[in-house]
Amino acid sequence: MTDTNQAASGVLALARGGDLPGAIALGETALANGAGDAGLAMFVGMLCCRQGDVDRGIVHLRNAVARAPGESAAKIELARALLSAGANADAEEVAGPLASMTTPAGQEMQRIRSHALLRQGRSEEAIALFTQLTDAQAVDFESWDGLGVCRMLLGDGKGAVVALQRATQLRPNAVSYWINLSRAYSSVQEYTSATAAARRAVGLDVNDGGARLALSRSLAGLGAETEALGHLAAALATAPDNAELAGEVADVAFLCKAFELAEAQYRAALAARPDLRQAWLGLGGLLERLNRNGELLELLDAAEVAGVPADDTALLRARALRGEKRLEEALESARRAPDYIATAVRAQLIGDIADRLGDTDTAFAAFSEANALLAADSVGSAEEAEAYRGKFGKLLNLLTKPWFETWSPPAPPSARPAPLFIFGFPRSGTTLIDTMLSGHPDTIVLEEEAVIDTVAKALGPVERLARLSPAEIEQLRARYFAEVDRIAPDAAGRLIVDKSPLGLGNTALLYRLFPEARFVFAERHPCDVVLSCFITSAQMDSKVANFFDFVGTAMLYDRVLAFWQRCREVLPIRVHTIRYERLVADPERELRGLAEFAGLSWTPQLLANQSNASARAYIGSPSYAQVAEPIYTRAKGRWLKYRAHMTAVLPILAPWAERLGYDLGDA
């Protein structure tokens, strides 16, 4: 029989010398020969885990616990090893009996149990334990991190940011904490802060795939897709065979509109891991967003065969069924989706289906719920909404005939043909118009790209317009075309159709750069427009924040239309107005007039909105699903069905309806 003390000394000496395999072999030999105690078994188990052989380490740690069931140290190491091996339920079971104790060992077991619960998807239970730990010990950085992750999973992005800021303050060199903080910032659309946190993570470990992934996600949020895709490739290179990473890479590629890459990575992830729920959902979302409805239904059937719970795919199935006009089934499927799955999106979808079924009370209640949830989750949305409305008020005060008369002489015409700008209040038919124009071989359509905003930022204060020199005008033109060429390299020689509904706030700038430019204004009944904005969910930004509130939407409409009217009065711009109601009633007549105004030859392809939408694949506006349908008139006069819900906004909208020649019935 080998002497226990002698064996332990030998194992320790080898371990200190860096010979872990030798230390493990000596320890295992001693244990097999009957020597050793719980301490030696625990030490050998810990060495195995450090070597990367966690399963082997767990065997020795269980042996240590069996030898000394009253000792907590071996139990803690066993629970840690089980957590590391992904045996989360076993880790919870081992940690449970000690987790209620107030001793340091008890706190450590509570921390381990919290992580085990988190990894089992039991976030609400985990968050309670992490909160107890941080309340008891404010410097417990690991629990602050766990608390932040739990809050993020439960949809509390703001709370996650607070907890993860604390974690990074306490442990500033922990790469994973900065990654989690970046993801939390991204979840509340604070992409500048998310990018800063992710760059900190990359700076700590340039080879960390998670850090690169977080950076690419935040950059995508900022619209810096090219840089984002570069970091995405670096992330994928760190673990090319990792299915979970492939799925996350696909998610970010989707955000970057790199759809082929996204689909390839989703499918690669599912080929390696058919049980990967998020990849099924991600691929389904991609197919739905690209209006590939038939493929989506096939995918959902395959996901069900693969064991993905029906509740998890209920929202996607509801969208697919809606596309098939199976509305009762679609509504049932949407209602079946559990609360934790995109609650605001679910409410908005229920509202849309109920609206199509003619149940306006149910629909309006669902739309109101969706907007309340979006407003609650959006940082500073009310303030941003007010500021955005204020922007149009300031522009209205500035743009006067006396100010316009102070402008320095215009520059010579642009060497490249001036763009055709499509403006209008959102939901006025701008997407249908540009989808039709995209069918012309001589056009290139920019679908709500940030080109105009980029040039406006380069200009600086709008007051500068009055004193711009010809050289400065030419520089801004060059900036505009450089952005166009970056987004659409094949734009040269074709008419640029720049659709940006609320880009009309920059009408004065665009006229200054392109006096010969043509402007298309989409017009629709004010009540239908404002109702449609309120009931259509979209990504949060300062203008969309107005749409979370019905009265706020109407107030923004009033400001925008007043400014556009001022542009027509002060600036000698060339404008062609397309009325939505006429467009859906007689598309050819309206489009022939538009083609003539735009200087385009007539082609029947302008009328093929469905095939045009399919050819474009991606449509960036919330109307992406509608424009892929045959032209319909169900949205015309929709507001009349909701009249009982519109009493607060009618006083704001009635003057505009009268001014534009629309009927308000007996209002």
Side-chain angles (χ1 to χ4, degrees), residues 391 395 450-465 468 475-477 479-480 483 502-510 513:
K391 166 189 169 183
L395 289 171
V451 179
I452 297 174
D453 289 340
T454 299
V455 177
K457 288 178 183 176
L459 169 70
V462 70
E463 290 81 1
R464 287 191 61 221
L465 285 177
L468 286 179
Q475 288 173 355
L476 291 170
R477 283 176 183 165
R479 183 68 178 270
Y480 179 90
E483 283 296 300
L502 290 176
L504 62 82
N506 290 301
T507 300
L509 165 62
L510 297 173
L513 301 186

Side-chain angles (χ1 to χ4, degrees), residues 70-107:
E71 295 293 327
S72 61
K75 291 180 181 178
I76 290 173
E77 294 301 332
L78 174 59
R80 285 174 177 162
L82 290 166
L83 196 64
S84 177
N88 301 311
D90 290 345
E92 181 197 353
E93 182 181 356
V94 171
L98 287 175
S100 60
M101 298 173 60
T102 57
T103 61
Q107 288 184 323

